[in-house]
Amino acid sequence: MGKERIDKIFREKLAAKEKLFVPYMMAGDGGLDTLEEKIAFLEKCGVSAIELGIPFSDPIADGPVIQQAGIRALESGTTLASVLEKLSVIRKKYTVPIILMSYINPIFQYGIEKFARDCFASGVDGVIIPDIPMEEEGIISPHLAAYGIACIRLAAMTSPPDRIKKIAERTEGFLYAVSVMGTTGARNAYAENISAYLRQLKENSPVPVLAGFGVSSGKQARYLSQYCDGVIVGSKIVDLFFKGKREEIKRLIESSLSGEPLTEKVKFP
Amino acid sequence: MTAYTMPDERGRFGNYGGQFVPELLMPALIELEEAYEEAVNDPHFHRQFHHYLQHYVGRETPLYFAEQLTSLLGGPDIYLKREDLNHTGAHKINNTIGQALLALRMGKKKIVAETGAGQHGVATATVCALFGLQCTIFMGKEDAERQKLNIFRMELLGAEVRTVSQGSGTLKDATNEALRYWVSHVDDTHYILGSAVGPHPFPKIVRDFQSVIGKETKRQMMEQAGKLPEAIVACVGGGSNSIGMFYPFIKEENVRLFGVEAAGHGIETNKHAATLTKGKQGVLHGSLSKLLQNEDGQIQEAFSISAGLDYPGVGPEHSYLQKIGRVTYTAITDEEALEAFQFLAKSEGIIPALESAHAVAFAIKLAKEMKTGESLVVCLSGRGDKDVEQVKQRLEGR
């Protein structure tokens, strides 16, 4: 449970020379009733963990695809409370680690301590909060720690070495490497220094490093995975779920995990 | 009150404030804070700032004893701090001059900004033209329709205006998009935030640049009346003109301070922008302050006839000043603001911005409770030319 479940499953996969693949989906997009079968589907596809987004009215770190998914989820009545409640019912049937991604304000209104307690009760293993940098994490990290829930920190390409060192030392479960200068969503290319950035994170991090933001194809996933332990794919998965293209999700995951490893720099069309 | 030294080194005003932003922006905020501290301690920067305020903006602005208003209301002496006489027609340019000079110090040649009524957008586009900076302004679609002329004004000044149709299409959504743009261009772009909101150090920087309003008022009151006023009134959207007016008076305990929010259709309805009066603590646009939100922490749409007050958040320092009881916050409806808009036009020959008309409306109420011989200062934050068409339609429509 919690941080330990993430650590154990990631360790096993990496020991078997597999890369990690974490899809992001918006809870409540398509209605909260579809949550369970989506989790079941993704687990069957062999993902390493599932990142579950909580909708927020003002998601400043997200691009248009996730913004729209959030609006749809809110319109269908999804709240942090209803997601936690749903998870408490369905969680036990699945072993895949579940990580919540939420902006701080819905958590703040829910009550931070209550949030940590209910995450534990609902079988949530880790939490990602994109608008909490280290300077502000004191309001939540001790509560998550008390319940053994991983507080997953994010590093950015703008982070100087001293910040990267501190973020990597503190993160739990994995280190989230934001791999573009910008918001979530598909990109055609990465910055020149992406490999150096990911290598630097790997050198500093005691836990696996996953690259996220701007990853939308198997080829991109394999490219980034050369330099770290795997990827998080968000907008693309959200979009494919919305369009009902399950087969494409399956192919994307397969291609990310089992395609030919890329050893040289690729150009994206 | 003993020394007032907010914010603390963590950018907090008591509980409020802070830096609730993605890691990607943190290095830029740290850089900005360092550049600002360096600038504050550099006499050259002060000379530069005051040079442009004096010769370009046209400061100092008058503190005008409003004879007609005073005799019509029959109470305290009423003074108007004429921020409407600044170049570009509002107080916003005090801050944009300061931040553009900071951007130049940091070597950033590109500027992004949000705008509500268009006043901050125009003030930003203006300083970008002045200093040769590339300028991108985000404006909500709803606001863009209310303030069409200001878009053309910004374009004339060389800015690129991007309208934002997400959400309610107002200032909140424009700020979201400006922040997203900044996240993507942070290496060469400075974000000129227009109000005393956002992550630290913005609330402090905006307050400090705007505090020229309060400093001048203090000196002018001593010159004209030989004493400080008994009360000061200013409108509060995000809260930049009000914090700039209040800040130099915080330690003057005998001066009562009043912040006036927009009550829209009334604070008992769900169509208002009275964040301090009706909001709850929460995090929006990088800081912890009071917010209009539902019980699930989703931000609600604000509502006001005045685009500049139409914001569901408020500067963290205002939340703090309310909490410690130093400033009293109140709210004025659309109707009351419209009355005051016309009343000031007819009594003093001054057409105020709809934002400032909220302050005037409350001052009229407050004057009834004050005595002859006392004095009351109203911060007239902007001029009403931008609102004339909207008011005309509104008055003809009823």
Side-chain angles (χ1 to χ4, degrees), chain A residues 99-187:
Chain A
I99 294 158
L100 286 195
M101 186 285 205
S102 175
Y103 290 84
I104 188 66
N105 199 49
I107 298 174
F108 197 80
Q109 296 314 313
Y110 190 86
I112 290 175
E113 205 193 336
K114 182 167 173 265
F115 170 75
R117 191 171 61 231
D118 290 353
C119 278
F120 176 76
S122 301
V124 170
D125 303 296
V127 171
I128 300 170
I129 309 170
D131 53 351
I132 290 278
M134 337 184 244
E135 281 76 359
E136 305 294 349
E137 68 173 47
I139 65 166
I140 189 162
S141 55
H143 297 290
L144 295 174
Y147 288 96
I149 293 162
C151 181
I152 295 156
R153 275 78 163 179
L154 301 99
M157 297 186 77
T158 52
S159 311
D162 61 319
R163 287 185 73 86
I164 284 184
K165 195 160 176 287
K166 281 185 202 154
I167 293 166
E169 275 168 10
R170 292 178 189 195
T171 194
E172 297 161 320
F174 65 89
L175 176 58
Y176 195 130
V178 175
S179 295
V180 297
M181 291 279 287
T183 52
T184 57
R187 295 293 194 287

Side-chain angles (χ1 to χ4, degrees), chain A residues 187-192 194-195 214-215 217-227 260-269:
Chain A
R187 295 293 194 287
N188 293 325
Y190 298 111
E192 285 293 317
I194 187 75
S195 56
V215 190
S217 70
K219 206 170 174 187
Q220 287 178 325
R222 280 178 282 138
Y223 171 66
L224 293 176
S225 295
Q226 302 171 78
Y227 309 112
E260 280 295 296
L262 288 172
T263 48
E264 58 190 85
K265 198 172 160 171
V266 286
K267 283 202 168 75
F268 302 110

Side-chain angles (χ1 to χ4, degrees), chain B residues 292-310:
Chain B
L292 298 179
Q293 57 185 321
N294 69 14
E295 58 188 13
D296 301 314
Q298 307 299 338
I299 312 305
Q300 289 174 321
E301 290 178 16
F303 181 90
S304 168
I305 190 173
S306 144
L309 302 183
D310 203 351

Side-chain angles (χ1 to χ4, degrees), chain A residues 1-225:
Chain A
M1 285 289 279
K3 184 164 94 67
E4 284 169 18
R5 171 156 36 198
I6 301 173
D7 289 345
K8 180 172 174 285
I9 288 182
F10 282 16
R11 204 164 41 231
E12 285 167 4
K13 292 204 181 257
L14 292 169
K17 302 280 173 214
E18 284 176 40
K19 288 293 182 180
L20 304 174
F21 185 97
V22 177
Y24 167 100
M25 57 180 275
M26 177 63 76
D29 185 14
L32 210 47
D33 291 343
T34 66
L35 183 65
E36 179 172 4
E37 51 108 4
K38 282 175 182 161
I39 290 174
F41 168 75
L42 290 170
E43 185 175 84
K44 214 173 155 208
C45 289
V47 302
S48 319
I50 295 170
E51 190 185 334
L52 198 54
I54 302 298
F56 179 50
S57 53
D58 296 82
I60 57 161
D62 285 306
V65 171
I66 293 179
Q67 284 176 43
Q68 288 305 319
I71 291 168
R72 290 192 299 266
L74 287 173
E75 281 170 356
S76 80
T78 309
T79 64
L80 176 55
S82 67
V83 174
L84 286 170
E85 206 182 300
K86 186 63 139 182
L87 285 175
S88 72
V89 177
I90 64 173
R91 177 67 179 107
K92 286 196 173 63
K93 297 182 222 164
Y94 308 94
T95 56
V96 64
I98 289 184
I99 294 158
L100 286 195
M101 186 285 205
S102 175
Y103 290 84
I104 188 66
N105 199 49
I107 298 174
F108 197 80
Q109 296 314 313
Y110 190 86
I112 290 175
E113 205 193 336
K114 182 167 173 265
F115 170 75
R117 191 171 61 231
D118 290 353
C119 278
F120 176 76
S122 301
V124 170
D125 303 296
V127 171
I128 300 170
I129 309 170
D131 53 351
I132 290 278
M134 337 184 244
E135 281 76 359
E136 305 294 349
E137 68 173 47
I139 65 166
I140 189 162
S141 55
H143 297 290
L144 295 174
Y147 288 96
I149 293 162
C151 181
I152 295 156
R153 275 78 163 179
L154 301 99
M157 297 186 77
T158 52
S159 311
D162 61 319
R163 287 185 73 86
I164 284 184
K165 195 160 176 287
K166 281 185 202 154
I167 293 166
E169 275 168 10
R170 292 178 189 195
T171 194
E172 297 161 320
F174 65 89
L175 176 58
Y176 195 130
V178 175
S179 295
V180 297
M181 291 279 287
T183 52
T184 57
R187 295 293 194 287
N188 293 325
Y190 298 111
E192 285 293 317
N193 59 345
I194 187 75
S195 56
Y197 163 70
L198 292 173
R199 282 197 186 105
Q200 185 193 10
L201 296 184
K202 273 300 290 172
E203 279 164 22
N204 281 277
S205 179
V207 291
V209 174
L210 298 187
F213 284 41
V215 190
S216 60
S217 70
K219 206 170 174 187
Q220 287 178 325
R222 280 178 282 138
Y223 171 66
L224 293 176
S225 295

